[in-house]
Amino acid sequence: PIIPRGGGALSRASFPARCGVAEMVPPVQVSPLIKFTRYSALLVGMLYGKTRYDYLKPVAEEERRIESEEKKKREELERIAKELAEASEDSILK
């Protein structure tokens, strides 16, 4: 027997044969209805995701197109403002 210093009594019988390793239990038979439901939900989710993606893709492309047009306009305005600022600085009448 193994006796710890604290004085408590422990024996080898109180530890599992393989410390920390659980015994394997045989797999449980899953109901065919549950299997069918799980795979059906998986397929429905995949179909929903595909249709939602196809719906949102053109919307996102349009938003990106509008954003790029706005960016071009903003850059053009910044360029014009910069040119005006430089022109006012280089005036003869300082």
Side-chain angles (χ1 to χ4, degrees):
I2 300 172
I3 301 173
R5 286 191 171 174
L10 293 175
S11 66
R12 281 193 194 273
S14 64
F15 291 106
R18 296 179 216 135
C19 293
V21 178
E23 296 278 331
M24 296 294 290
V25 294
V28 178
Q29 283 291 345
V30 180
S31 166
L33 178 64
I34 293 174
K35 284 184 182 180
F36 174 76
T37 306
R38 288 173 61 191
Y39 284 107
S40 298
L42 176 66
L43 291 175
V44 167
M46 290 170 60
L47 290 173
Y48 171 77
K50 174 72 171 127
T51 56
R52 184 74 177 157
Y53 176 78
D54 290 341
Y55 171 75
L56 291 176
K57 185 176 179 183
V59 174
E61 288 174 355
E62 181 68 17
E63 288 175 355
R64 281 193 296 271
R65 186 187 62 77
I66 292 170
E67 181 70 27
S68 68
E69 289 176 0
E70 290 175 355
K71 183 179 179 184
K72 287 178 185 176
K73 288 179 186 177
R74 191 171 47 248
E75 288 173 350
E76 181 67 20
L77 289 174
E78 289 173 359
R79 186 188 60 80
I80 292 171
K82 184 178 178 182
E83 287 178 0
L84 287 174
E86 288 176 357
S88 66
E89 289 175 4
D90 294 336
S91 175
I92 305 174
L93 305 171
K94 287 188 179 180

